Structure formats: structure tokens, C-alpha cells
Amino acid sequence: MTEHTSGHAHQGDDEQPLDLTAFMDADELDRLAADARAAVRGTPAGYADMTTGTVSYPQHTHPAGTLGDEGLVIEQLDQDPGAGAPAPVKVPRPRTAWQDWVPELLISAEARLARRRAIEHAAAHHTRRSHLYLGRLFKAGWYGIRYGTGNLVGHFTAADSYADDIAKAKAAKARKIGEASGNDWVRALKAEKRAEGKARRHETLPVLGAAGATSYVAALLAVAQVWGLIMAGVILLPAMAALMAYGQREHARRHPDLTPVVHFEPATLAADAPLGKDSFESALKRMGLIKETSEIHLVGLPRAVAISAVEMTVELPDECSLAALVAKKDKLAQAFRIRPEWLDIRDGEHSAQVVVWMASANPFGTPFVSPLVDEPVRQDAWGKGILIGFNRRGEPVYLKLAHVMVLLGGASRTGKGMLLRNLICGLGLDPRVNIRLAAGAKPGEHMGYSSVCATFFGRNPRRLVALLDALLAEAYRREDVLARQRRAKFSEKDLAEFPLELAIIDEFAQYITATELVPRPGDPEKAMKAGDRIAEQVEELAGFAAALNITVMLTTQDPDAGTIPRKFKNNSNARVATRTRSAVQTNAILADGATGAGLRAHDIPQELRGAAIVDIDGADGELIRSCFIEDEHYDGAEPIIAAGYALRAAEGRAPGQFADQVEEWLIRATGETSAAGGPNGSGRPGRPAAAVIAAPILDLLLGAFPEGADRVAMADVRKHLADYDADRWGQGDGEERPAYEARVGKQLAAEIEEALAGTPAALESKQVRMPDGKRPTGYLRADVEAARNAARNNPN
């Protein structure tokens, strides 16, 4: 298609495009290209280049590079999809489904159920008020008798026509006392009134009416005499209905500003009305959220979405918004005579649309039994998350543990233990998670979980320091792996090699206030409080370990601003608050300003045990109630934990079945193991045994090195091995010293050779110079660590 400037004719096939870009500098070209892209970006093809809107000139009349006398010819080149340009995008026409033609009541069982509930409520509402309605009907009947009698008398005496005139004449007579004309006027009006009344009484209609009324009364008396008052009452019903209707009409005519005698309170406006357009709109008007002249619009019909709950989608008028509704949520609940936690308001498809959910009974009244009680199946802590409870809508709420730090807090006996119970039971059913549980108060409450815990011990601040040191060491090791692979973080596919390490520190306040002394890092000769060291370690882990599949979860009761380390709180993006005692405690758990945003954990009713406000992925600011797993009459978690252990054992992931870097660190640091709760599973660490944990020989050898030493003598190695397993490495009864030393040396060399099989590394004892100048046979730390790394990286 071609357009021409004014005054010039099209020249046919003798034209060729002229590229004006040859006459432009670089800045002008960039500007032109940007303008061209912007101009066509909204077209179906979205294709922009420098050929959009080119200029042509007749090539046979002008030399190259000149425009000639004809001026410019603006030519729009047609795009040819076959020449490399993208084809225009065809926008499909919206298709109308058959459901769009059918009323929602016919295809939606939820809409039909909501309508049935509304009808049932209306029937019950009016039935409860039937005595009021009956009284109003009798009152209307009385008005009918009174007004009817008065009107009949006024008609047949002509008072309805002359009463006003006679009254005016009497008033004029009173103002003109003594004048005869006033008396004559009154007498004349009265005479006319009597004549008019007499004429009306002789009309046909009054005569027939009187005869009919007499016959009706006679028949009524006869029926009462023969068949009794009940049948007479049936005969009397038409007359009563007529009198009631007449009384209602006359009262409304005479008193238009008053409420009609017979009126019915709309069921949709009752305080206990189910959620609907009229009830919600009335509540908004009473709360002053919308104008009296405004109205809301339903999107679809209200739907019954739970046993006692209804949900509907509405579009709000301009003066109202979602933020205003949330701010007035307590008032709206008051208008419906429900508790605030029974009402939920969320945003819809656009800013003027909201989805309102309301229950007519406590949605948390019945405990939600964990589905794991009946079906303890494998869980997915990383992707789907661990089920911890249900929200008010009955929807499950999952805590995802991918790249997060977790904070759980609340007042004593408000449901933290049950939330933790749900979490550990679910985690036990995911073999990709190493559970490290440090109980701060009473480890006996958690003994039932020990078989699935890679680490479990009771209140022991020094051991927690060692555990966090081990996690830091593991974090730095994993960080080195990521650096070599040029990656930023681990993903789910890495869980097989780098399982999710979850350290749960229960009753964290008991640890952070611990006054036991531990060596100060970097200066072992100096000491510091264990609580201070734990706070430093938690903050350090929170700063970078989440991306390394290492998570720390803190639980605490009666929190305050100083209970949770500041950096940990800032880096924890999964927070759960059971009922707290004050707004300060709520903000200490959830976030500064949480109460101002409506997350008021201190307002959770005391009787609602197990309720919590969660601020986690997929449930921001959600009120939930944790699932119930029996813990008083019997241990309902036992079959779940047993299933979790069986699942882990089948995959070689039960405690003691795999090389546990963290527990090996604890053994080297303390000489005791806490895998599966220690030797007896009670949370008391003890001497390791092969049945509890199988430490690789190279890791065991590293444990023989004194802290901070880079070399160790063979005598110290033999002592360390004997302490680890006296039956295997200790000197037997009657065994000579030289024979014992030779046996241990050969056995140690054989196991080292087996551990390094398939690797280019080798490790043999050698003479090492000790600090005292002696040169006994022994090992260097660097040699042992190199051999251990070679063994771990061995693909075989």
C-alpha cells in the first residue's frame, strides 16, 4: 500500500525505496529505531524494524543521494511472513461454554445448598416471630373495624361531606357574635347534611349492603349454633381478612410517615442471617462503609463451602475497598453476631472485587485430626511442605522448609507443642530430612521422636554449641561445593547428596540465657557464656545457611524483644505465633508492626487451644488451628514415628545407617553420641557404639587429634581408638604390649587401605616431630584430611 505527499501522482513500478538512514547520525538512528519499536509493539505481530514507514523516490530521474523535485514519497512496505517476518498473531475469539447459558442454581450444588439454607433460615426467622405477626394482624383488623364504622357513619349521615363546612361556619359565627347571618349559615348547612344523608340511606347499594351484612351475620350465628365456634370461625375468616386489609390501607393512608401496621422483618436483615447480598449490604451501610444509596453487586451466587459456612464474591462501590473492610472486620462480625475469626475477607480478581467467607458456627470448634494418624505416608517437606493445620475455611496449611528459617512462639500451654508434634511427625516421614532436636526444657516430652532424629538431646547448652559448630562446619563445606560448581544455592535435586539439615531448638529462651562457660572462638584460652555463643551461632547460620539446605527452627514461650536474636528474626521468613500475652510478644514473633497489620495473636481466644497465626509461604497472616495428634490418653504419634523409621530404614536413612557429618563432629568434640537420642534414646548422649553410629575410620582417626593440633602420636591414636571401642581396639587380657601395638597398627592400616580403595590417595604412619622435640610414629592432620576428602569424593 502506498501513500503520496500532496500534489504528486504515483509513478508505478519506476520507484525504489530510499533509505534515509544514510543521512542520519548514530543518535538519530537510535531514536528512530526506538520510536519505531514503540509504535508497533502493540500490533498483533509485534514486529519493529527500520523498514517501518520508509521513504521512496523515482529512481530514473535523480542521481543517488538526492531527493529531486518531486519531493518525498512515503511508502509503507507490506510484511511478508514468508520473508522472515513473524506472522501476525491471531487472537482467538472467546468461546461460550454451555455452562454460560445455564442458571447457576442448576449446575452448582454449592449454590443450591446456600439457597436452601437461606430459605430454611427465613422460614425459622418468620416462625419465631409468628406471634408478633398475629398480633399485628389483629391490630389491623381492629383498625378496620374502627375506621370502617367511622366511615359508614360518616357516609350515611353525610358528615364526610359537610363536617368541614359546618366547622368553618361555626368558626366564622364565633368571630361575628350577634350577626344573624352566621346562625342561618350553620342551620342551612345542617339541613343540607340531613337531606344528603337521607338520600344516601335510600340508595340501592346501602340497602343491598345492609341486607348482605344481615344475612352474613345470620348465617354465622346459625353455623355457630349447629356446628360450633370452629366452623363459625372459618366462615368469619373472609370478613376478618377484609377488615384487616381495610385497616392496613386506611392506616397507611392516614399516617403515611408511620410503619405499616402489618409488616415483616426481612430475614436477610436479621442479625443471624446467613451471608448474602442483602445481609452484607445492610451490614456495610450500618458500619458506614458504603452510602445508603449505594449497593453491592454479586458475582455469581452465594455458595455453601463448608458445613456452616457460605462464600460469595461481590463488587464494591467506589467509596469502599478491601483495606476498609479488613480494618472494620470486628465491626462486621458484630453486625452478623459472630466472632471475628469466623469471618474472612480476601481480594478478588480486581481491586473492586472481594471474596467474603463467613461461618455461622465456630469453624475451629471441632479439632482437625491429622490425616497421618490413619495414613502415615511419605511426606514432602521441600515442595509441598509439612501439614501443620487447617485454616478457618477447612483448607490444609503446609509449612515448606525450602530455604527458610523458622520461628515458633507463644504463651505457655497455647498449642506450640502440638504444632511441633505435627511438624516432627511429618518430617519423620521424609527421609531426605536430618532432624536435629535440642529440647530446652523437658526432653521426656520428645522421647517418642528419638528413633527418627539424627540428633536428639535434652537441655545441654555446651552440646548445643557443639551442634551449631558442626552445622556451621557443614555449611562451609557445602558452600565450598557450590563455589566449585558456580551455583548460588542447592535445589531439591541435591537432597540426595546434601539432605535438609533441620535444627529444632525447643524452648530457645532456656538456651540463650545459659550461663555455662564455653571457649571463645578464635581464643580458646578465654571463655564466654554459652547463651551468648549460641546467639552468635544462630545469627551466623541464619545469615547464609538457608540456601545450603540447612534450616534452624526456634521455639519459645513468653517471647520479648530480647529473646530472639535480631539477625535471626530478620532472616526468618516463616513465623508462627500461638496466643501471646501482649502486642509486644506478638510483634516479637511475627514482625515489628504485625499487630498494626491485623496479625493480633494476643487476641486469639483463650479457649481456642492450638490456634495460631502463621506468616508463611502461601498463608500470609492466616489464622489456623493445628492438627490434633493424641498426646494425653495415649501416644498417637507412635505409629506415625514407627512408619517414619521403617521408611528411613528401608532407604538407609535411619540414624546410624549413613555417614552423618554432624554427629561425627559431635563425637570428636565430646566423645559422646546423641544419634537417635543417644544409646538408650532418652536424649542423654552416651559413648558411641557400632550399633548406634558407624564412624568411618578416617573420621575416627581425625578425632584422635587434640583440639588445634596438626599432628598426633600413634600412642594417642591407640588410646582414642580404645576409648571408642575397647573390645575392638583395646589391649586384651594377657596380650603383650608389643603384640598389642603391632595388632592395632596392622588393623588400622588395613582399614585405611580399604577406605581409600579406588582412590589415588594413600595414608601411612610416619615419624612426626612433637612440640617436646620427640619424633614418635604418628600422623599429620593435613594428610588425614586429604585422605578423608579423597574417600568421600570416591564415586565407588
Side-chain angles (χ1 to χ4, degrees):
M1 181 181 71
T2 306
E3 291 183 1
H4 306 276
T5 55
S6 176
H8 293 275
H10 181 51
Q11 301 297 322
D13 297 332
D14 294 334
E15 297 177 350
Q16 67 178 9
L18 170 63
D19 188 1
L20 286 183
T21 59
F23 302 95
M24 302 178 183
D25 56 21
D27 293 339
E28 189 67 9
L29 287 174
D30 292 341
R31 184 191 62 77
L32 181 61
D35 291 344
R37 286 193 297 272
V40 298
R41 189 166 292 160
T43 63
Y47 180 76
D49 63 7
M50 295 296 290
T51 65
T52 303
T54 58
V55 182
S56 63
Y57 71 99
Q59 67 170 353
H60 64 281
T61 56
H62 310 290
T66 63
L67 298 179
D69 298 332
E70 289 86 346
L72 297 178
V73 179
I74 310 300
E75 179 180 11
Q76 178 69 40
L77 299 182
D78 294 331
Q79 291 185 1
D80 182 7
V89 178
K90 293 183 178 180
V91 180
R93 294 182 178 178
R95 300 182 61 184
T96 302
W98 64 270
Q99 292 92 340
D100 298 335
W101 298 88
V102 181
E104 189 174 357
L105 276 177
L106 298 180
I107 60 177
S108 174
E110 293 82 2
R112 291 196 298 272
L113 181 57
R115 179 64 60 86
R116 189 184 74 184
R117 289 179 182 173
I119 294 174
E120 291 173 352
H121 170 268
H125 173 83
H126 292 303
T127 300
R128 289 194 300 267
R129 288 159 177 77
S130 58
H131 62 289
L132 298 176
Y133 300 154
L134 187 61
R136 292 169 187 170
L137 288 172
F138 279 115
K139 188 176 182 180
W142 164 246
Y143 280 153
I145 294 173
R146 192 177 75 178
Y147 293 146
T149 302
N151 290 342
L152 284 174
V153 172
H155 177 77
F156 291 125
T157 60
D160 57 349
S161 300
Y162 288 89
D164 292 341
D165 293 339
I166 294 174
K168 291 178 182 179
K170 288 182 178 181
K173 174 185 174 182
R175 289 193 299 269
K176 300 177 180 180
I177 299 175
E179 295 184 9
S181 59
N183 292 327
D184 296 340
W185 185 15
V186 174
R187 282 195 292 272
L189 288 174
K190 288 183 176 181
E192 290 182 15
K193 172 186 171 185
R194 287 193 293 272
E196 179 67 18
K198 185 176 181 181
R200 290 180 179 181
R201 289 192 293 274
H202 289 83
E203 291 178 352
T204 304
L205 186 60
V207 174
L208 294 177
T214 302
S215 301
Y216 183 80
V217 172
L220 182 64
L221 294 174
V223 169
Q225 183 68 29
V226 176
W227 286 291
L229 295 178
I230 295 179
M231 289 300 297
V234 175
I235 302 299
L236 186 60
L237 283 178
M240 293 178 62
L243 288 173
M244 292 173 186
Y246 184 76
Q248 174 84 346
R249 192 197 69 177
E250 281 296 300
H251 185 272
R253 183 179 66 83
R254 299 186 185 196
H255 307 285
D257 297 334
L258 298 180
T259 303
V261 179
V262 179
H263 64 277
F264 302 91
E265 292 88 355
T268 56
L269 302 183
D272 60 344
L275 186 65
K277 178 184 182 298
D278 294 337
S279 59
F280 190 64
E281 186 178 275
S282 174
L284 294 182
K285 291 179 179 179
R286 293 202 304 274
M287 295 302 106
L289 292 171
I290 64 175
K291 302 174 183 176
E292 287 293 333
T293 56
S294 299
E295 64 175 332
I296 63 175
H297 298 282
L298 275 181
V299 180
L301 295 175
R303 301 170 298 281
V305 292
I307 296 176
S308 61
V310 175
E311 181 181 79
M312 70 176 185
T313 303
V314 301
E315 291 191 353
L316 301 171
D318 294 341
E319 66 267 22
C320 191
S321 65
L322 173 65
L325 293 182
V326 173
K328 295 283 188 178
K329 183 178 176 181
D330 290 354
K331 290 293 185 180
L332 285 173
Q334 179 182 352
F336 282 104
R337 303 297 189 268
I338 61 173
R339 294 193 61 87
E341 59 266 21
W342 302 5
L343 181 64
D344 187 30
I345 304 173
R346 300 180 181 179
D347 55 346
E349 296 181 354
H350 51 80
S351 57
Q353 190 180 98
V354 296
V355 180
V356 185
W357 181 96
M358 191 184 80
S360 57
N362 188 357
F364 297 121
T366 303
F368 299 98
V369 178
S370 172
L372 297 181
V373 172
D374 296 324
E375 192 176 4
V377 296
R378 186 188 186 106
Q379 300 296 295
D380 178 12
W382 182 279
K384 186 177 182 179
I386 300 300
L387 177 66
I388 58 174
F390 289 81
N391 63 14
R392 73 193 85 201
R393 295 168 176 257
E395 301 165 340
V397 177
Y398 297 89
L399 175 59
K400 297 180 182 179
L401 295 170
H403 301 159
V404 296
M405 295 289 160
V406 187
L407 179 58
L408 166 62
S412 177
R413 301 192 62 80
T414 57
K416 295 190 307 300
M418 188 59 68
L419 273 166
L420 191 59
R421 188 174 181 84
N422 280 273
L423 185 63
I424 295 177
C425 286
L427 290 170
L429 290 164
D430 190 346
R432 304 173 301 172
V433 181
N434 291 337
I435 307 172
R436 317 281 182 187
L437 176 58
K442 294 173 287 186
E445 295 180 355
H446 306 305
M447 284 179 57
Y449 312 135
S450 61
S451 62
V452 296
C453 291
T455 300
F456 167 50
F457 55 87
R459 187 171 186 268
N460 190 331
R462 290 192 179 93
R463 190 165 190 86
L464 179 57
V465 170
L467 172 62
L468 295 176
D469 277 337
L471 288 173
L472 283 168
E474 177 65 11
Y476 287 122
R477 184 181 76 86
R478 294 184 177 191
E479 191 176 46
D480 291 339
V481 173
L482 282 180
R484 291 194 300 270
Q485 297 178 356
R486 299 178 180 274
R487 298 166 59 194
K489 58 185 178 181
F490 287 122
S491 63
E492 187 174 8
K493 66 180 181 181
D494 298 303
L495 290 176
E497 184 178 359
F498 301 100
L500 177 62
E501 295 284 351
L502 176 60
I504 303 174
I505 308 177
D506 187 32
E507 301 298 351
F508 181 69
Q510 299 292 330
Y511 282 111
I512 201 172
T513 57
T515 58
E516 291 94 330
L517 298 180
V518 297
R520 184 179 296 275
D523 192 357
E525 295 182 357
K526 295 183 178 180
M528 65 184 301
K529 292 181 180 179
D532 295 338
R533 178 58 183 150
I534 291 170
E536 292 178 354
Q537 293 169 305
V538 166
E539 287 189 328
E540 186 175 359
L541 283 168
F544 77 104
L548 306 171
N549 288 3
I550 297 177
T551 292
V552 178
M553 176 179 178
L554 306 183
T555 77
T556 183
Q557 68 179 16
D558 296 330
D560 55 40
T563 303
I564 308 300
R566 181 178 58 84
K567 291 182 180 179
F568 179 88
K569 181 179 176 182
N570 292 341
N571 285 296
S572 60
N573 46 8
R575 304 183 183 96
V576 182
T578 59
R579 184 174 57 84
T580 59
R581 302 187 187 279
S582 66
V584 173
Q585 291 186 348
T586 299
N587 290 337
I589 300 170
L590 297 176
D592 294 336
T595 56
L599 308 184
R600 304 174 63 86
H602 50 286
D603 287 342
I604 295 177
Q606 186 174 0
E607 65 274 10
L608 192 57
R609 294 282 302 276
I613 292 179
V614 297
D615 188 7
I616 59 180
D617 181 22
D620 298 338
E622 188 85 59
L623 178 66
I624 72 165
R625 187 176 187 184
S626 61
C627 297
F628 179 71
I629 302 176
E630 181 61 56
D631 61 343
E632 292 186 3
H633 303 291
Y634 61 90
D635 187 5
E638 182 179 359
I640 305 175
I641 298 299
Y645 179 81
L647 179 61
R648 288 171 176 265
E651 298 187 12
R653 292 285 303 146
Q657 289 184 320
F658 60 96
D660 191 337
Q661 310 281 353
V662 174
E663 268 298 317
E664 292 166 15
W665 176 285
L666 290 176
I667 292 173
R668 291 194 300 270
T670 66
E672 295 179 328
T673 180
S674 50
N680 59 5
S682 64
R684 294 178 177 272
R687 304 297 300 177
V692 177
I693 183 168
I697 190 61
L698 295 174
D699 291 326
L700 190 59
L701 186 56
L702 273 176
F705 286 80
E707 186 173 354
D710 63 345
R711 60 199 66 203
V712 63
M714 183 59 74
D716 293 331
V717 172
R718 287 192 293 269
K719 182 179 182 304
H720 177 72
L721 293 174
D723 291 341
Y724 175 72
D725 191 349
D727 294 337
R728 187 179 182 195
W729 299 102
Q731 185 175 359
D733 294 336
E735 186 177 19
E736 297 292 335
R737 188 71 183 181
Y740 163 67
E741 294 176 355
R743 176 177 63 82
V744 172
K746 290 180 180 178
Q747 186 174 342
L748 180 60
E751 293 199 15
I752 291 175
E753 182 179 0
E754 181 181 357
L756 296 177
T759 69
L763 178 64
E764 296 179 355
S765 60
K766 63 178 69 173
Q767 285 188 334
V768 294
R769 183 182 293 276
M770 302 303 291
D772 58 0
K774 295 181 180 179
R775 298 175 61 89
T777 302
Y779 295 92
L780 296 177
R781 181 184 290 272
D783 295 340
V784 178
E785 288 180 344
R788 186 187 65 167
N789 292 335
R792 287 181 174 175
N793 294 327
N794 183 12
N796 298 322

